[in-house]
Amino acid sequence: MLRAGLGLGLAAVRGVLEQVLAGTYPVTPTEAEWLARRLRAAGVDAALGAGV
């Protein structure tokens, strides 16, 4: 999903995912909500934390 949504290769997506999980990926609240919705649609329990 991240690969298609961001247009990145597998290696690049792994780096982005690490940043997202660490809370260091620069993202707007709108982008964060989009990602959370896509993850929930894929069956992943995703929620926005404080600071987004």
Side-chain angles (χ1 to χ4, degrees):
M1 173 183 43
L2 284 174
R3 288 176 62 191
L6 298 175
L8 300 173
L10 184 58
V13 167
R14 286 183 178 159
V16 169
L17 181 57
E18 288 175 7
Q19 290 178 14
V20 169
L21 293 173
T24 61
Y25 189 77
V27 63
T28 66
T30 302
E31 293 168 330
E33 181 57 36
W34 174 85
L35 179 57
R37 284 184 192 155
R38 296 288 305 263
L39 288 169
R40 288 190 295 265
V44 176
D45 186 22
L48 299 180
V52 176

